[in-house]
Amino acid sequence: MKNVDQLDLKNKKALVRVDFNVPVNEQFEVTDNTRIKAAKPTIDAVLKKGGSVVLMSHRGRPKGKEEKYSLKYIVPEIEKVLGKPVKFVPDSIGSEVEKAVKDLKPGEILLLENLRFYPEETKGDETFAKELAKNGDYYINDAFGTAHRAHASTAIVARYFDKDHKAVGKLMEQEVKSIQKALDYGEHPITAIIGGAKVSSKIGVIENLLNKVDNLIIVGGMAYTFLKALGNNIGDSIVEDDKIEVAKKIMEEAKKKGVNLILPVDFVIADSFSNDAHTKIVKANEIPQGWQGLDIGPETINKIREIIKNSKTIIWNGPAGVFEFDKFANGTEKIGEAIGEATQNGAYSLVGGGDSVAAVQKLGLEDKISYISTGGGVLLDMLAGKELPGLKALQS
Ligand code: AMP
């Protein structure tokens, strides 16, 4: 698989799939330009090599052509981030697009309209992909956020370029390498901390991690399903009764594989799901009816901190509690701090998933973590050991 630096782009047009799925306010102003900034290195590289750039992206989940999802609104923000003018064409295929692409000169940037205005995009339609392929001499995929989807623009389009005329973008390359560094080439002991609301959304991740890690720490809402499977009283805590058998199997598997699976030993419990709730700290098997666990307790935090301190590689996805409420953010924050300290002492740390990243940002620990992934679903798929269609399509 080639990368951008290996392409001869002089006087050529690069069709670049980016992830500009950015949030906007009521005035259609971009409120978070992280994803635009993340695509800049690839765009700059193409321009520097004497090429021109045809950008394509989706934004939101429009049902057909819904004006409010038009990419025209984000042109000013892209121009601001890139420091260059950006042309816009109100379609992604067809004669108007072909003309705009044909007129594009080296050094110029053209943005196509939201790909999802065509339902063919998410269906991975071949005819639509073939039309998209007309928009460039080369195809570059830098949309890491959608690399786990076999959509027309993320995977199918690559069929219309031979392997010397397609490449992985710089963001995607960096993401994949940084995740593999922890997951596949991490120095032992490797510790994964997996949290979040439900075990059902992360079964594949946990199963795959059992083949990779020395310590698997389960926190957040999903821990109660494991604790219930062990016969503990979990009161009114969040639980997935239909996943109790899965939890039992995961615990057996961990034992067989010699993985140290750690569950919380105490909790901060609350008498309602609210920041104003009354709270108590109790042992993990002593949550009374009418109360629910909303954060891990101090003993658990100390245990986790000790394990993190002794790890050489740390992977973290998912909060330890309902961190949106300040009262229950402590566990999540302490995990972030411990990972920051371990990283300062030489460990390699990978943090991903919106909530864990938000916690790291809130604590100002961005510089103390080795790599913060921008991926959501795609990161979970990688952690689950799944092949990414967006990457595979670039390989042959
Ligand atoms: P996920 O999207 O699966 O990573 O889950 C994130 C959500 O899990 C956050 O919104 C948290 O508030 C929620 N969560 C974490 N711990 C708990 C808990 N003990 N009870 C209920 N929800 C939780």
Side-chain angles (χ1 to χ4, degrees):
M1 183 172 56
K2 289 206 173 334
N3 64 25
V4 180
D5 298 330
Q6 292 165 319
L7 303 182
D8 179 12
L9 292 159
K10 196 164 169 53
N11 296 325
K12 300 288 185 201
K13 287 163 183 150
L15 175 63
V16 186
R17 177 50 159 109
V18 288
D19 178 6
F20 283 173
N21 186 20
V22 290
V24 299
N25 61 18
E26 280 172 9
Q27 285 76 47
F28 293 102
E29 293 156 345
V30 175
T31 53
D32 181 353
N33 65 9
T34 310
R35 286 179 169 154
I36 301 175
K37 281 188 189 154
K40 189 174 187 292
T42 295
I43 298 166
D44 285 347
V46 175
L47 298 178
K48 202 167 158 216
K49 284 176 152 244
S52 56
V53 177
V54 180
L55 295 171
M56 58 175 177
S57 178
H58 76 286
R59 192 170 72 78
R61 292 184 172 173
K63 293 178 186 63
K65 196 169 169 19
E66 274 189 79
E67 220 263 336
K68 65 175 177 180
Y69 290 111
S70 173
L71 291 187
K72 72 181 176 195
Y73 296 116
I74 69 169
V75 169
E77 190 66 29
I78 303 172
E79 290 183 325
K80 197 173 102 191
V81 171
L82 299 179
K84 292 187 180 67
V86 172
K87 297 179 173 181
F88 176 74
V89 58
D91 209 335
S92 49
I93 56 169
S95 55
E96 197 182 349
V97 176
E98 273 172 46
K99 181 167 185 322
V101 171
K102 193 162 161 257
D103 292 346
L104 205 63
K105 299 192 180 56
E108 290 186 333
I109 305 163
L110 173 71
L111 174 68
L112 308 183
E113 182 55 288
N114 193 337
L115 293 159
R116 290 198 188 164
F117 281 2
Y118 287 88
E120 288 90 339
E121 161 65 358
T122 49
K123 286 184 189 144
D125 183 84
E126 290 213 15
T127 314
F128 179 63
K130 200 171 172 185
E131 287 300 305
L132 287 177
K134 289 181 185 167
N135 298 330
D137 305 305
Y138 288 84
Y139 168 68
I140 298 169
N141 190 356
D142 207 21
F144 179 66
T146 44
H148 58 319
R149 307 278 185 221
H151 292 170
S153 69
T154 61
I156 315 302
V157 67
R159 291 183 193 161
Y160 305 98
F161 296 85
D162 66 38
K163 68 177 183 340
D164 295 325
H165 287 81
K166 57 189 170 188
V168 59
K170 287 183 177 285
L171 167 70
M172 177 115 101
E173 192 179 24
Q174 187 191 24
E175 287 275 4
V176 170
K177 278 191 182 156
S178 305
I179 295 166
Q180 285 175 339
K181 186 170 170 185
L183 196 60
D184 300 321
Y185 312 112
E187 196 184 331
H188 290 266
I190 306 176
T191 296
I193 305 125
I194 302 296
K198 292 177 171 178
V199 62
S200 52
S201 59
K202 293 180 188 170
I203 293 170
V205 172
I206 293 172
E207 281 173 347
N208 189 45
L209 287 175
L210 288 178
N211 300 317
K212 312 265 183 187
V213 305
D214 304 285
N215 304 301
L216 180 61
I217 302 175
I218 305 230
V219 288
M222 68 172 69
Y224 304 97
T225 300
F226 287 85
L227 289 167
K228 187 166 178 184
L230 291 170
N232 291 281
N233 295 322
I234 59 160
D236 294 349
S237 307
I238 186 171
V239 68
E240 287 173 284
D241 283 318
D242 61 335
K243 292 294 172 290
I244 290 210
E245 286 310 310
V246 175
K248 280 185 186 163
K249 240 168 94 195
I250 287 171
M251 290 188 281
E252 274 166 30
E253 224 24 49
K255 217 175 259 167
K256 258 193 239 158
K257 292 185 168 152
V259 175
N260 184 20
L261 191 142
I262 298 113
L263 292 168
V265 291
D266 61 348
F267 288 109
V268 180
I269 60 169
D271 59 359
S272 70
F273 189 83
S274 139
N275 204 29
D276 305 320
H278 296 108
T279 62
K280 284 198 267 193
I281 292 166
V282 298
K283 296 261 175 270
N285 60 349
E286 289 171 4
I287 307 177
Q289 286 305 317
W291 292 75
Q292 53 188 308
L294 293 185
D295 195 10
I296 51 175
E299 212 181 305
T300 307
I301 292 173
N302 281 341
K303 204 169 159 185
I304 294 177
R305 193 184 285 152
E306 205 50 35
I307 293 167
I308 290 175
K309 198 170 131 191
N310 292 313
S311 301
K312 286 268 177 270
T313 304
I314 304 147
I315 300 168
W316 180 29
N317 173 274
V322 183
F323 81 112
E324 295 92 334
F325 298 144
D326 284 347
K327 240 183 188 168
F328 308 107
N330 186 46
T332 302
E333 292 179 2
K334 290 292 184 304
I335 288 176
E337 277 169 17
I339 296 175
E341 276 163 32
T343 312
Q344 297 296 95
N345 291 328
Y348 178 77
S349 55
L350 166 73
V351 177
D355 296 327
S356 325
V357 174
V360 162
Q361 284 167 343
K362 190 174 161 200
L363 295 167
L365 291 172
E366 292 100 319
D367 298 340
K368 298 202 171 88
I369 304 293
S370 311
Y371 192 73
I372 299 179
S373 176
T374 61
V378 61
L379 173 68
L380 290 182
D381 273 11
M382 276 195 81
L383 293 179
K386 291 188 193 158
E387 196 167 50
L388 302 184
L391 261 195
K392 189 164 177 246
L394 301 172
Q395 283 159 0
S396 55

